[in-house]
Amino acid sequence: MYSPSWGYALDLPEDFVLANREGNERYLFKHAILPVDLQIALYEEPQFKNIKEAAEHIFKQLKMTHKDVPFIWRNKEALLSSVSFLYSPSEKYKPKELSGWVLTLALPNKTGWLVLLTYTDKDKAKECENLMISSLDTVYTDTMSYFEPGPVTAALYPKTKEKTLDYVFNNKNISFTIDESDAQANQSVIDREFSVLTMYLNHDNLIAAWQRFYKVIFRDAWSRIAPASFAVYTSIFDENNQSGFAEKAAKELLFLVQNFNYERDRKGSDFMNLPQALAEKRGDCDSRALLMVLMLKQMNIDAVLLVSPNKSHAIAAVDCQGSGTCFTHNGRDYLGCETTAHVPIGEIADEIAAPENWFPVDFYVIEDLESN
């Protein structure tokens, strides 16, 4: 959902349904599976002096008790608040106690203030928390916000301390920085989104929810992996011989992830976070394939993630020169990359190579966002 007048966007979990709207300033969404509501309110910039004043307006209106976490997001002050309040639609109804979260953001260029309120019955708060947090964390306020952790994750898992990793990339010594908080933060997003995804098992929107699962992880990991991708890029790129760079980069990244130790933890999400997978060179098919796609994207090489529910497998697919098994998507041919076996680009086992086994996952790129 994108608002051209205010400039923000939301990628809500599947099955949020618009229940009410007042112009382009007030929206009410209700979730069709869990009893969660999401309200959106927008205010012109002169109405409040600062982020705290914008949030207090909501707190006072609904007589909320609240605990606040102030933080910085997109170089602006922001506020995340856990809230509880009593609500009754009219005097003839007994008030019921609600619990939830309020996220207050300043929109760029002094456009205004964005307030997101999500809530449920107090006795359902724990059950619904991941859905509520997910609905707030996937907000975007400008182009670059598609490529950094969401505001809730930024509030709850602030950066701590950068460390430099000395790393061997395909027999080359490179180094890059990573924050000590990155692995834990990305894993928290994975576990949260996996909890949301499981709501859609045996549901019509399962594939769409599955695609969103990977997109949210990708978004959170982008800036965490970027220093490593730059180090890899500079070790590969030769300005005097630029032809075939996409194929060369894909081959070397594929060789890297194929040599990871194969590890699975079938408890919970069964998905290793990308900073840890890269740093420790271990993980299963999902984490390897998504890491490869992300790093290719950061080198401006077109790639997609392919997921096979019936084969319980995931692979990367890249738009580059070569031969072998191709998958056609959006009018382009992508060579399949098997990340868990030592085979070349394009070599996929016959029993899983049929296109109908797979669904693709696309990811945002800056050029597409700016063109829109």
Side-chain angles (χ1 to χ4, degrees):
M1 185 183 76
Y2 172 69
S3 170
S5 54
W6 292 94
Y8 75 96
L10 280 169
D11 184 7
L12 295 177
E14 304 306 311
D15 288 292
F16 266 108
V17 179
L18 181 63
N20 193 22
R21 173 181 177 179
E22 298 177 21
N24 64 357
E25 299 173 351
R26 300 288 185 277
Y27 299 87
L28 170 63
F29 289 89
K30 291 181 173 291
H31 199 260
I33 300 175
L34 289 182
V36 170
D37 288 2
L38 173 71
Q39 292 195 36
I40 303 171
L42 293 121
Y43 303 93
E44 297 286 350
E45 196 270 340
Q47 193 163 346
F48 305 112
K49 294 179 181 178
N50 52 48
I51 201 79
K52 185 177 180 180
E53 197 172 287
E56 285 290 345
H57 177 72
I58 300 296
F59 301 154
K60 289 179 181 178
Q61 271 192 329
L62 297 175
K63 299 178 181 178
M64 292 175 165
T65 59
H66 54 96
K67 294 182 180 179
D68 302 331
V69 180
F71 64 105
I72 301 296
W73 192 69
R74 301 300 303 140
N75 299 315
K76 296 180 180 298
E77 290 186 346
L79 193 68
L80 176 67
S81 309
S82 61
V83 298
S84 59
F85 57 104
L86 292 174
Y87 174 74
S88 176
S90 68
E91 291 182 359
K92 66 180 181 178
Y93 290 95
K94 182 180 178 180
K96 61 180 178 179
E97 195 168 357
L98 303 176
S99 294
W101 298 82
V102 172
L103 175 65
T104 311
L105 301 173
L107 295 173
N109 304 316
K110 296 186 177 181
T111 305
W113 310 93
L114 171 63
V115 183
L116 303 173
L117 163 63
T118 182
Y119 53 87
T120 188
D121 293 353
K122 185 177 180 179
D123 60 358
K124 297 282 187 180
K126 187 173 182 180
E127 175 189 354
C128 297
E129 183 172 72
N130 285 324
L131 178 65
M132 291 192 290
I133 293 296
S134 181
S135 67
L136 299 183
D137 207 29
T138 46
V139 63
Y140 310 90
T141 56
D142 60 87
T143 297
M144 292 312 298
S145 66
Y146 287 80
F147 305 96
E148 71 169 60
V152 177
T153 303
L156 300 180
Y157 294 89
K159 296 290 186 179
T160 53
K161 181 181 179 182
E162 280 192 350
K163 59 183 179 181
T164 299
L165 292 183
D166 295 319
Y167 199 83
V168 177
F169 170 72
N170 297 354
N171 299 317
K172 307 178 190 106
N173 293 319
I174 63 173
S175 63
F176 54 86
T177 59
I178 194 167
D179 195 88
E180 291 180 351
S181 67
D182 284 339
Q184 183 183 13
N186 191 234
Q187 191 66 52
S188 76
V189 171
I190 291 167
D191 294 342
R192 179 192 76 208
E193 294 303 322
F194 180 77
S195 172
V196 173
L197 176 60
T198 57
M199 294 167 41
Y200 299 93
L201 297 177
N202 303 313
H203 193 277
D204 290 344
N205 286 329
L206 174 60
I207 298 302
W210 214 334
Q211 290 169 323
R212 182 182 180 275
F213 169 74
Y214 289 112
K215 288 180 180 181
V216 176
I217 299 168
F218 180 97
R219 184 257 189 121
D220 179 79
W222 179 277
S223 62
R224 306 184 196 280
I225 300 298
S229 295
F230 181 74
V232 167
Y233 173 84
T234 55
S235 76
I236 299 173
F237 184 72
D238 181 357
E239 63 179 16
N240 296 317
N241 183 19
Q242 299 182 29
S243 63
F245 174 72
E247 183 180 5
K248 181 180 180 182
K251 284 182 176 179
E252 295 209 22
L253 280 172
L254 182 59
F255 181 77
L256 171 71
V257 297
Q258 284 177 343
N259 282 284
F260 282 14
N261 291 324
Y262 187 85
E263 292 189 18
R264 292 191 67 176
D265 180 1
R266 295 183 183 274
K267 298 178 182 178
S269 63
D270 191 22
F271 191 111
M272 179 173 290
N273 68 80
L274 300 192
Q276 186 176 7
L278 176 64
E280 299 178 5
K281 296 186 177 180
R282 59 191 181 99
D284 67 353
C285 60
D286 295 66
S287 53
R288 298 187 203 199
L290 185 58
L291 176 63
M292 181 176 174
V293 170
L294 189 152
M295 296 182 78
L296 286 169
K297 287 283 200 181
Q298 291 184 322
M299 298 179 201
N300 201 30
I301 298 169
D302 189 15
V304 295
L305 181 71
L306 295 175
V307 180
S308 175
N310 60 330
K311 301 297 181 180
S312 299
H313 197 37
I315 63 172
V318 58
D319 179 12
C320 70
Q321 296 295 315
S323 59
T325 302
C326 279
F327 299 87
T328 301
H329 177 57
N330 289 338
R332 291 188 177 186
D333 290 332
Y334 295 83
L335 282 171
C337 301
E338 174 57 79
T339 64
T340 57
H342 291 277
V343 295
I345 289 179
E347 187 169 321
I348 306 296
D350 291 341
E351 62 267 24
I352 64 172
E356 59 267 23
N357 285 325
W358 306 89
F359 69 80
V361 185
D362 287 310
F363 301 97
Y364 299 114
V365 293
I366 294 174
E367 292 78 6
D368 291 345
L369 292 167
E370 290 179 339
S371 66
N372 291 332

